[in-house]
Amino acid sequence: MTQRHLALASVVAMVLALPGGDVQGQGMGIEDRQQMRAIRDTEGTLRLDGRLDDAVWAEADWVDSFWQREPDEGEPATRRTEVAFVFDDEALWIAGRMYTDDPAAIQAYRTRRDQNTGSERLLVSLDPYLNRRTAVSFGVNAAGSRTDWFHPEDNVSNRDYTWDPVWSARVQRDSLGWTAEMRMPFSQLRFNGDEPAWGVNINRYMPDIQENLLWELVVRSEPGWSSRLGDLTGLQGLRGRRGPEFLPYVAGDLRTPTGGPQSGLVTHSEARVGADLKLGLGSSLTLDAAVNPDFGQVEADPAIVNLTAFEEVFEERRPFFTEGRQLMEGLGPRYFYSRRIGAPPHGRVRADSVEAPDQTTILGAAKVTGRMPGGTAVGALFAVTGREEARTFDFSAGEGPLPGEAPVPGEALVPVEPLSAFAVARLEQELGESGSTVGLTGTALSREAQPGLSELLVWRAFSGGGDWNLRFGGGEYELTGHAGFSSISGDPAAILRVQRSSARFFQRPDARTARLDPSRTSLSGYTAALEMEKTGGRRWLWRVRGDAISPGFEINDVGQMFNANRLTAEADLAIRETLPTAFTRSWRLGLTSASAWNFDGERTETTLGAEATATWHNYLRTTLDYEFQPRALSDHLTRGGPLMETLARWRGGLRVANDRSFRTGFSLTGAYGQDEAGGWAYDVGGSLTLRPGPALQLEIRPSYRREVESRQYLTTLDGGREDTFGRRYVFSAIERSTVAVRFRGGYAFTPDLTLEAYFEPFAASGRRHGIGELLAPRSRDLLVYGEEGSTIERRDDGSLAVTQGGRAFALPDGDFNVLSLRSNVVLRWEWQPGSTLFLVWQQDRSDMRASGELVDPGRLVDSLRAGGQHVFLLKIAYWLPL
C-alpha cells in the first residue's frame, strides 16, 4: 500500500512540475529595499474621519508602486493604490487611497475585530525595533473593521492575534473606490527611539479579483517576512511616550439550573471588581499587573471523550496571559503552559454533598515584557493563586473525605488546593543581520504544605534551559536546538505519583533504566535537541531533527509535556512550485519519517507519511495525505504494565476547500484507515461559511466519526498469570461513534458593537467487545474472555463477571453514551477605545449513560434536554490612559 501511494505521488510531482514564469518586478531582495518617508504634522490639525482632506496629506510623500504577490507574482498591480505616513507627538497616522473600476463590487463585510476575512483591506506591517526579525501588522477593511497581530518570528504565517493595541481607523467610500485613515498611538508600539528607520510594508488585498499586493514584494519562495520589509524614514528623534494605562472592571454573574425543581431559581450569584495596570518602564519594557483578574467572557472549551493515557490540552484564551506570551516561549519544551495558573483544584473529595470551586482563584499576577536597545527580549511573569476549600456534608459515617481519614458526620471544609506562587522568566538575544537568536528560559513553582495535599502535589518545581536559532543564507537555512533541565521535590507520596504518571510509568515491570523508587523526595532530568532545516528556495525544502528527553524530566507543574524517556529522530523532504503551471497555481509534495525509542533502546513508534497539496486555477485547494505506522513496542498502552506490541496501521485522507475570501466558503474532509487486526476508522466533516449581508456571517461545521479500535485499554487487575508479572492487563475492541455540529454566527451593528453566538451539540458512544487480557509481554495478542475455558457475562448493574484460570473477578462496564451542549452568546461593545462592555449568556449541558448505543444526528437534539446550567455574565471595563 505504501509503495503504491509513493509511486502515485511521484507521478503527480512529475506532471505538476511544468515550467513556471520567472519573477519580475522591483524590491525583491534585501539588497534593494525600498524607502518611504513620514513627515511631521506641525499644525496638529489631523482629524480621524477617513476623508483625507486635511492639509498635511497634500504635503505628504505618497507611494504608489505596488506588486502582485498573488495571482501573478512580480507583475504590477492592476489597480492603483496610494499610501502616505504622517506623525505627530502622540501617534503615527497612515492614509490610503484605494482605486477601483467598480466601487459597487468592493467586498466589504462588517465584523468584529480580527475577523474580516473575505473583505478588501489595507494592511500595514511595521518593525519599530528594526531588528529584521519581529513585526506588528494592523489594518482596516473597506467596511471599517480592524485587524491586528504580532509576528513573533521572521515568518509571514506565524501570527499572534492576541496583540490588541488601542488604536483607531475610519474609512469612506466614494466614486473612485475607498479611503482609509489609521491612527496608531506611539504608546501602543514598542521601540527604542534611536533607530535610523523602521521596517515597513503595505499590503492591499482585493478578493473580488484575488489580487494580493505588496509595496515591498516578498515572493512566495522566500523565507521570512520581517527581514524583507522596506524602510520607513523621517522618524528621527522620536521618543515613545508610554504613560500608565489603568483598566478597572466590575463584573457579576448569575447561575441557574437548566431543568429540575430549581429551574429558574438563582443558585449562585457573584459580584467582583478588579483592575489591570499597564506601565511603561522606559521606552522598551512594559509592566502589566492584575489584581483579582477576571476572565469570565471567554469561550468554553469544546467537548471531547478522551480514552488515552494523556491529558487533553486546550488553547489559552485569557487576555492577561495571551498578550505578550511569545516573549516567554522559546524553541524548546513548553516550560510555561499558562492554563496551569488558575486551573481547577487538584484535590478531590468524597462526601454525601460536595460544593467545590470550579477554578483556583488568581489573587494577583504581574509581568514585564519588552525588547531592549541591544536586541535583548525580556519576558517575566509572577502569579499567586489562593487556597481553595470544598464544603462537604456527610449524613452518616462512611468513607472519609480524604484517603485514610476517618469520616465525621456533619459539615466540613476540606482543602483542595494550596497557596501557590508561579514564576516564569525568559531572555532572548538577537544576533547579526540574519535574525539569529539565543535564549534562556526559567520557571519556578512553590506550594505551601497542607495536610492531605502534600501527598498529592510537589512542593517545589524548577525547570529551564537554553535554545538557539542560527540562520544562514539570508534566512534560507536554520540550525536550531535546545538543552534544558528540570527538578522537583516534595513528599515521597507526591514524587511517587509523578513517577507513576502517564508521562513516564516508572512502575513498568520490564523496565531496565528507569525504575520506581518509593523513597524518593526529588526527581530531576534533562532534555536536548538539534535540528537543521532548509526553509526557503524555489523547489526543495528539507528538515532533519533529533531530540532526547530523559526519564526523569518533568515540567507539568508549570509547563506541559506528554512523554519523558524518549529519543526521537525525524526527517522531512518536500518539493514545491510556488508559481503557476499549466494545471495549478501552486503545488507541494512532501515525505515525512519519524521514529522514537525509549532509554532501554526499544523502538516505541515509527510513522511514515506522504502529502500532496495543489491549489488549482479556480483557487480550489486539494490535499491528499497518507500515513503508515509499522509494528513497534509501546511502553504506555498497558498504563504502567509491560511493553506491548502495537498493530501495524495505515490511514489516508482527502481535503477539498475553496478560498476563504469567497462570499460562500466551504471545505470537505474525509479519511479512512485500518489496522492489521481488523480495526478500522473513517471520519467525514466539512464547513460552510455564508455571508448573507454586509454585517452577518454564519458558519456550520458538522463532523461524524465511526471506528473500531482493536486494542483499547480497560483496566488492570491483580491475580494475573506469572507470564504477565502476576497482573491482568485488560483490553478490548471498542466500537465508537461521534457526531458534532458547531454553529457560529455574528452580526456587526458597527465595527465596535457586535453580537456573536457559538453553539455546539455533541454526542459520542463506545461499546466494547472481544474483552481479554494481554497474553504475554512484547505481544499484541489477547487471551479473550469467553474462550479457552474462560467465561464472561454481564450483571444487572452493567459490570462484567469473568472467570479465567480458576479465578473469578469483576470488570467495570466500559460502554458509554455521552451528550454535551455548550453555547455562548456574547454582546460586545467597545463604547470608547479600549473600554468594553460584555453581556454573556452561556449554557453547559451534559449527560452520560452506560448504554453504548451508536449515535446519530438525532442524539444532538437530545443534548438540548440534558441537565446543566445557564450562566449570565456582565462585565464593564474602563480604559484610563493616565
Side-chain angles (χ1 to χ4, degrees):
M1 181 67 69
T2 305
Q3 292 179 347
R4 291 200 302 268
H5 278 78
L6 293 179
L8 175 61
S10 300
V11 173
V12 172
M14 288 186 291
V15 171
L16 295 178
L18 299 176
D22 294 331
V23 176
Q24 304 292 328
Q26 302 292 326
M28 299 188 308
I30 297 177
E31 68 282 352
D32 58 350
R33 299 183 195 276
Q34 295 193 94
Q35 289 192 349
M36 65 175 66
R37 188 172 68 94
I39 69 168
R40 177 179 286 275
D41 176 26
T42 57
E43 302 297 328
T45 58
L46 278 167
R47 300 185 311 277
L48 188 70
D49 55 17
R51 299 186 185 280
L52 311 189
D53 54 1
D54 304 291
V56 68
W57 293 124
E59 303 171 4
D61 291 346
W62 293 80
V63 296
D64 59 4
S65 176
F66 286 80
W67 308 91
Q68 296 184 43
R69 180 178 168 95
E70 298 276 1
D72 300 319
E73 187 174 82
E75 293 298 319
T78 59
R79 295 175 182 170
R80 186 176 177 82
T81 304
E82 299 174 344
V83 178
F85 287 73
V86 169
F87 67 98
D88 55 26
D89 291 338
E90 303 295 332
L92 180 68
W93 296 71
I94 303 101
R97 156 61 75 179
M98 282 61 68
Y99 293 89
T100 187
D101 298 330
D102 183 8
I106 295 174
Q107 288 186 206
Y109 302 109
R110 286 199 309 272
T111 65
R112 68 158 293 182
R113 190 166 175 169
D114 292 337
Q115 294 185 355
N116 58 18
T117 299
S119 295
E120 182 168 333
R121 72 182 183 191
L122 181 70
L123 189 77
V124 175
S125 288
L126 293 176
D127 174 13
Y129 285 112
L130 201 64
N131 58 17
R132 306 297 186 190
R133 181 178 172 271
T134 61
V136 295
S137 293
F138 55 95
V140 63
N141 71 8
S145 296
R146 292 170 295 151
T147 188
D148 42 55
W149 62 77
F150 174 72
H151 296 274
E153 62 181 13
D154 188 19
N155 186 321
V156 68
S157 300
N158 189 343
R159 301 174 180 180
D160 181 357
Y161 284 93
T162 63
W163 183 65
D164 287 322
V166 180
W167 65 286
S168 304
R170 295 291 183 270
V171 299
Q172 296 289 337
R173 301 274 288 273
D174 57 29
S175 61
L176 300 178
W178 63 288
T179 57
E181 272 184 321
M182 292 177 272
R183 182 183 184 273
M184 176 60 73
F186 290 127
S187 64
Q188 305 300 300
L189 297 172
R190 299 183 180 186
F191 57 95
N192 297 317
D194 54 0
E195 296 84 0
W198 289 7
V200 65
N201 209 344
I202 306 164
N203 166 233
R204 180 186 178 186
Y205 177 55
M206 296 169 285
D208 60 321
I209 57 173
Q210 293 294 311
E211 196 163 302
N212 198 11
L213 307 179
L214 289 175
W215 171 72
E216 179 73 45
L217 182 60
V218 182
V219 298
R220 296 190 295 273
S221 62
E222 284 185 338
W225 175 251
S226 308
S227 61
R228 265 60 181 175
L229 301 184
D231 292 334
L232 176 64
T233 64
L235 299 172
Q236 288 83 356
L238 190 65
R239 292 291 181 267
R241 299 184 179 182
R242 303 169 58 231
E245 299 176 18
F246 189 51
L247 188 70
Y249 80 87
V250 57
D253 66 79
L254 303 174
R255 299 170 187 248
T256 178
T258 59
Q262 291 186 309
S263 178
L265 300 178
V266 176
T267 58
H268 173 86
S269 63
E270 182 182 5
R272 53 199 176 275
V273 295
D276 294 342
L277 174 67
K278 189 186 296 286
L279 177 65
L281 304 178
S283 62
S284 303
L285 301 179
T286 300
L287 169 67
D288 293 270
V291 178
N292 193 24
D294 178 78
F295 310 113
Q297 77 277 4
V298 300
E299 184 178 290
D301 295 321
I304 59 165
V305 175
N306 185 5
L307 298 182
T308 73
F310 308 106
E311 71 170 330
E312 195 70 29
V313 177
F314 295 106
E315 180 185 356
E316 178 63 88
R317 297 186 179 93
R318 299 172 295 179
F320 177 82
F321 293 107
T322 58
E323 184 182 2
R325 66 182 177 184
Q326 69 283 342
L327 293 175
M328 286 171 277
E329 297 176 350
L331 299 175
R334 195 174 188 178
Y335 290 113
F336 177 44
Y337 176 42
S338 57
R339 289 192 65 146
R340 301 291 186 210
I341 303 175
H346 291 83
R348 297 292 181 265
V349 295
R350 294 184 295 272
D352 295 327
S353 175
V354 177
E355 183 180 341
D358 296 328
Q359 305 290 327
T360 304
T361 302
I362 302 175
L363 300 179
K367 61 184 178 182
V368 175
T369 56
R371 294 182 182 274
M372 306 295 287
T376 303
V378 178
L381 180 144
F382 181 77
V384 178
T385 59
R387 302 180 186 93
E388 299 291 350
E389 296 177 320
R391 186 178 299 274
T392 68
F393 192 89
D394 282 288
F395 298 99
S396 59
E399 190 175 17
L402 291 173
E405 183 175 318
V408 179
E411 189 175 16
L413 292 176
V414 181
V416 292
E417 188 71 23
L419 182 71
S420 305
F422 298 79
V424 181
R426 176 168 173 79
L427 293 174
E428 184 176 273
Q429 179 64 50
E430 298 162 1
L431 304 172
E433 295 182 357
S434 62
S436 299
T437 61
V438 294
L440 293 173
T441 303
T443 71
L445 168 66
S446 177
R447 294 187 176 106
E448 68 171 341
Q450 280 190 286
L453 294 177
S454 295
E455 296 79 17
L456 180 67
L457 302 171
V458 301
W459 300 332
R460 304 287 184 271
F462 302 95
S463 67
D467 58 81
W468 58 90
N469 177 17
L470 306 179
R471 308 180 75 200
F472 309 94
E476 188 169 325
Y477 296 90
E478 293 185 354
L479 176 65
T480 62
H482 68 262
F485 77 97
S486 71
S487 176
I488 61 173
S489 59
D491 187 273
I495 301 300
L496 182 62
R497 291 174 62 90
V498 174
Q499 295 180 73
R500 298 176 63 91
S501 71
S502 61
R504 49 194 49 79
F505 288 134
F506 279 8
Q507 67 270 35
R508 274 200 309 114
D510 55 355
R512 300 190 299 272
T513 58
R515 303 304 301 271
L516 198 69
D517 182 355
S519 66
R520 281 184 175 180
T521 58
S522 64
L523 187 68
S524 60
Y526 66 87
T527 180
L530 188 65
E531 176 179 308
M532 186 69 185
E533 182 177 12
K534 183 176 184 289
T535 63
R538 170 80 180 275
R539 287 295 177 87
W540 292 98
L541 306 174
W542 51 262
R543 180 182 72 98
V544 291
R545 177 183 174 86
D547 65 54
I549 306 176
S550 75
F553 189 70
E554 169 60 24
I555 58 174
N556 277 318
D557 288 284
V558 182
Q560 184 269 320
M561 57 173 280
F562 290 112
N563 279 322
N565 193 18
R566 282 292 179 271
L567 299 165
T568 62
E570 304 174 17
D572 303 334
L573 178 65
I575 183 173
R576 67 177 182 178
E577 177 57 79
T578 60
L579 298 178
T581 69
F583 299 105
T584 67
R585 301 208 62 81
S586 63
W587 58 266
R588 175 184 170 118
L589 174 64
L591 303 175
T592 63
S593 171
S595 291
W597 298 260
N598 61 25
F599 273 58
D600 288 344
E602 304 287 359
R603 183 174 57 84
T604 58
E605 183 180 1
T606 292
T607 301
L608 304 173
E611 182 180 275
T613 299
T615 301
W616 311 97
H617 285 289
N618 60 359
Y619 295 93
L620 196 69
R621 183 180 179 89
T622 304
T623 300
L624 285 166
D625 64 88
Y626 175 81
E627 183 178 278
F628 174 69
Q629 294 179 311
R631 294 177 185 174
L633 290 173
S634 171
D635 54 9
H636 67 264
L637 278 180
T638 55
R639 307 293 204 270
L643 293 170
M644 180 176 177
E645 189 175 40
T646 61
L647 301 172
R649 63 185 65 220
W650 64 268
R651 174 193 173 278
L654 169 67
R655 184 176 189 273
V656 179
N658 69 347
D659 193 272
R660 294 186 304 164
S661 65
F662 289 1
R663 292 180 183 270
T664 300
F666 75 90
S667 67
L668 297 173
T669 61
Y672 181 78
Q674 291 183 350
D675 66 40
E676 62 178 312
W680 52 268
Y682 72 84
D683 56 76
V684 294
S687 67
L688 179 65
T689 301
L690 303 173
R691 299 181 176 95
L696 178 63
Q697 180 168 306
L698 304 173
E699 181 185 52
I700 179 172
R701 288 183 173 268
S703 63
Y704 181 74
R705 180 176 176 87
R706 279 286 308 277
E707 64 181 312
V708 173
E709 174 61 48
S710 300
R711 297 290 184 270
Q712 175 62 55
Y713 175 81
L714 178 58
T715 189
T716 299
L717 301 174
D718 293 326
R721 292 167 295 111
E722 184 177 344
D723 291 346
T724 53
F725 305 96
R727 310 202 75 188
R728 302 180 190 273
Y729 300 97
V730 184
F731 289 79
S732 73
I734 183 170
E735 184 177 10
R736 297 180 61 185
S737 61
T738 304
V739 60
V741 181
R742 183 176 300 174
F743 299 92
R744 292 183 186 273
Y747 187 85
F749 302 95
T750 72
D752 298 319
L753 176 61
T754 59
L755 180 67
E756 293 182 287
Y758 166 85
F759 181 79
E760 183 180 18
F762 172 93
S765 72
R767 180 166 53 198
R768 294 181 182 265
H769 62 275
I771 301 174
E773 62 187 71
L774 182 65
L775 186 63
R778 308 175 73 91
S779 169
R780 64 186 185 280
D781 298 326
L782 301 181
L783 194 165
V784 179
Y785 301 142
E787 300 178 2
E788 300 182 10
S790 63
T791 65
I792 183 171
E793 61 181 30
R794 187 174 293 274
R795 297 171 172 171
D796 293 339
D797 63 359
S799 63
L800 301 171
V802 181
T803 61
Q804 194 282 322
R807 296 192 178 188
F809 53 92
L811 295 175
D813 186 357
D815 296 349
F816 62 86
N817 265 85
V818 175
L819 295 177
S820 170
L821 173 67
R822 298 189 177 186
S823 69
N824 208 12
V825 179
V826 180
L827 179 69
R828 182 184 186 275
W829 179 28
E830 188 173 351
W831 43 282
Q832 69 177 32
S835 300
T836 312
L837 178 146
F838 290 95
L839 184 60
V840 184
W841 169 37
Q842 294 178 339
Q843 283 190 92
D844 188 357
R845 299 172 181 257
S846 62
D847 185 27
M848 183 169 182
R849 295 180 295 168
S851 66
E853 299 173 359
L854 293 177
V855 298
D856 55 42
R859 295 291 286 157
L860 299 180
V861 179
D862 295 339
S863 69
L864 303 177
R865 296 187 287 268
Q869 67 176 352
H870 297 284
V871 181
F872 301 93
L873 300 133
L874 173 66
K875 176 181 177 181
I876 302 175
Y878 183 51
W879 183 64
L880 291 170
L882 304 178

